[in-house]
Amino acid sequence: FETAYGLPSEWDERGSLNAVYHFLENECRVEWFDPSDDGTRIVTQEPGAVELKDGTVLMYARSDRGRQWFFRSSDHGETWTKGEPGTLFSPLSPATVKRLSNGDLVAVWNDHEFQPELTTSGPPWANGIRTPLTVGVSKDEGRTWPIRRTLESDAKGWYCYFAVLELDGNLLIGACAKDLLSHSRIYRMPLDWLYEPGAQPKKVRCGGYWAEEAGIRKYMVGRRPEESAAESAAASSDSIRPRISVIALR
């Protein structure tokens, strides 16, 4: 078939997108809206959703603005509010939010709230590096996340695409990891460990450092040239690591 943007064989990436937009607008009567307040475009991708206690559906999506972007629906997904900055600070990397059996929400994401320099590090297309691997708990339906644990903090960890399951008093988390999604891992941890004293939001060392390069101050991923591998491993180790079991690796 031929569209207002020509034949499919003639499309480039933008032509393909324009043809899809054209079809949805004219054939399906879809109305588009800009998710930003200042008129600039916001990239939102790979959404997830969780139902809140009042029946509202909360949709979250990774964005290029340093946070998960939040949308809400009060009619079971028929209509949605305009997007807004959410309470999960992260790179352009997906998060996962689930309801625990005790009624709390649990989230797994790359927590950048206390180290925004991580959101400007890494490849330009990535909008930040996908570390640390953080699990957090909210008792107020996602408004705040006062309980947080760091599972991994390797600067080159690339932790993302999380699956979460509560099972027999434990929390199982599946994740991609290492070298741009080349590995998979499954973590198992006791649920009560999440609630132990000391599980608080904090800055986590991720193996980066500030440096001057061509007269520009940048946040560099990895250890300093003068820092030994042993020193880097000791600095990035987490005292709670023994409580986490990595039960599957690939």
Side-chain angles (χ1 to χ4, degrees):
F1 66 97
E2 184 171 4
T3 74
Y5 295 93
L7 295 171
S9 60
E10 300 169 348
W11 293 347
D12 56 14
E13 181 180 356
R14 176 53 52 187
S16 301
L17 290 173
N18 284 338
V20 171
Y21 293 156
H22 177 81
F23 175 79
L24 291 174
E25 289 174 348
N26 292 276
E27 303 299 328
C28 302
R29 301 294 184 239
V30 172
E31 295 182 5
W32 302 98
F33 63 88
D34 193 317
S36 69
D37 289 325
D38 59 7
T40 58
R41 182 177 179 182
I42 296 176
V43 174
T44 53
Q45 304 167 331
E46 300 178 340
V50 64
E51 186 174 5
L52 304 182
K53 292 178 180 178
D54 64 359
T56 300
V57 179
L58 172 66
M59 179 170 63
Y60 50 92
R62 73 181 196 176
S63 82
D64 62 349
R65 296 301 180 93
R67 299 193 191 198
Q68 297 290 309
W69 223 248
F70 283 6
F71 307 81
R72 289 177 170 81
S73 174
S74 58
D75 53 13
H76 307 287
E78 291 292 330
T79 61
W80 295 89
T81 62
K82 190 172 184 178
E84 62 183 6
T87 53
L88 297 173
F89 291 73
S90 71
L92 185 61
S93 178
T96 295
V97 182
K98 297 288 186 181
R99 177 79 61 188
L100 294 175
S101 59
N102 63 9
D104 293 343
L105 291 179
V106 63
V108 184
W109 80 108
N110 307 122
D111 186 9
H112 286 189
E113 182 168 0
F114 300 99
Q115 38 205 352
E117 64 272 13
L118 298 181
T119 308
T120 58
S121 303
W125 52 265
N127 284 99
I129 57 176
R130 297 181 178 182
T131 192
L133 169 53
T134 304
V135 56
V137 174
S138 175
K139 293 179 170 293
D140 56 9
E141 299 297 270
R143 288 186 287 274
T144 61
W145 303 88
I147 299 172
R148 301 185 202 180
R149 290 287 197 185
T150 300
L151 306 188
E152 300 274 16
S153 59
D154 185 345
K156 298 182 180 179
W158 210 258
Y159 309 105
C160 54
Y161 299 111
F162 311 114
V164 180
L165 176 67
E166 181 182 354
L167 181 67
D168 298 331
N170 292 291
L171 194 66
L172 301 180
I173 298 175
C176 292
K178 305 291 184 181
D179 304 323
L180 298 178
L181 315 183
S182 63
H183 294 68
S184 296
R185 289 186 173 183
I186 299 177
Y187 303 85
R188 178 178 62 200
M189 63 215 70
L191 264 177
D192 58 6
W193 166 74
L194 289 177
Y195 294 87
E196 289 180 1
Q200 300 173 347
K202 60 182 179 180
K203 184 170 184 176
V204 178
R205 165 145 186 183
C206 293
Y209 61 96
W210 288 100
E212 197 87 13
E213 187 177 271
I216 301 174
R217 192 166 184 258
K218 295 182 177 181
Y219 191 78
M220 312 296 289
V221 175
R223 63 178 182 269
R224 296 177 183 274
E226 68 273 13
E227 185 179 27
S228 71
E231 290 172 334
S232 179
S236 61
S237 63
D238 199 317
S239 61
I240 53 85
R241 192 69 177 81
R243 295 299 305 277
I244 308 167
S245 301
V246 181
I247 61 174
L249 297 173
R250 180 178 64 81

